[in-house]
Amino acid sequence: MNYSYKRSLWWIIPCIPLMADRLSKMMVLEHLTNPIQLFPGFNFAITWNTGVSWSMLQTHNRSGFWLLVILLSVLISALIGYAQWRIKKGFCALGEMLAIGGALSNLVDRFLYGAVLDFIDVYAASYHFPTFNIADSCIFIGVCIIFIQQWRASHDR
């Protein structure tokens, strides 16, 4: 198999979280009118996040929206560049690709709705973890993979 072709296959991976997140959000918006408890400690309930992870950097004005979109676009672009470098060097870029797919889907939400649609509500007793979505999960898993790879690389030297 052509080396260039193998490298281009990496770019299929971000499509998986992107499509899974888009599809899940379409279904939630179409069918979830009231919160649903799937089992104790796990609900589906719609919330809108105008900020970033765990609702940090909440913004409710147009200039804040565009500043956040620009910042996130720069971060996604940097991650794409880093992923391309890793792929070119022959390293695994699974973490980067999962994070890119999730981040792109959340960016699509910002353009479509002005906020990110979150709907997975996990809780214990009265403590609710910040509501999230499939894209957020992929970003989290991707970043964990990146950290583990970096930690292992630093200890293999």
Side-chain angles (χ1 to χ4, degrees):
M1 188 180 296
N2 178 319
Y3 180 68
S4 169
Y5 178 71
K6 281 190 214 177
R7 287 192 336 202
S8 65
L9 289 177
W10 277 106
W11 295 100
I12 293 172
I13 296 171
C15 297
I16 297 167
L18 178 67
M19 292 184 332
D21 190 61
R22 301 305 325 143
L23 181 61
S24 69
K25 289 173 179 175
M26 285 178 10
M27 291 172 54
V28 162
L29 286 174
E30 188 173 325
H31 299 291
L32 186 65
T33 53
N34 296 309
I36 298 173
Q37 181 181 43
L38 296 174
F39 51 85
F42 193 94
N43 295 333
F44 281 157
I46 292 176
T47 62
W48 294 96
N49 181 0
T50 60
V52 292
S53 301
W54 298 295
S55 298
M56 294 184 298
L57 303 177
Q58 289 286 328
T59 180
H60 299 287
N61 61 51
R62 211 69 192 141
S63 59
F65 168 83
W66 284 109
L67 184 62
L68 191 55
V69 164
I70 291 167
L71 173 66
L72 294 171
S73 298
V74 167
L75 290 172
I76 293 168
S77 298
L79 188 56
I80 289 170
Y82 180 64
Q84 287 176 319
W85 175 84
R86 286 188 56 83
I87 292 166
K88 187 176 181 180
K89 296 290 186 184
F91 296 121
C92 175
L94 178 62
E96 291 83 351
M97 294 301 161
L98 289 173
I100 290 166
L104 287 173
S105 187
N106 281 343
L107 192 60
V108 168
D109 274 12
R110 291 181 193 288
F111 284 111
L112 291 178
Y113 313 117
V116 174
L117 171 61
D118 291 328
F119 59 92
I120 302 170
D121 177 31
V122 177
Y123 63 94
S126 64
Y127 174 76
H128 285 257
F129 187 78
T131 307
F132 59 99
N133 57 45
I134 291 172
D136 296 334
S137 299
C138 291
I139 293 167
F140 177 79
I141 292 166
V143 169
C144 286
I145 291 170
I146 293 167
F147 281 137
I148 290 167
Q149 288 174 330
Q150 294 302 317
W151 182 82
R152 290 181 70 198
S154 70
H155 285 79
D156 287 345
R157 293 181 196 156

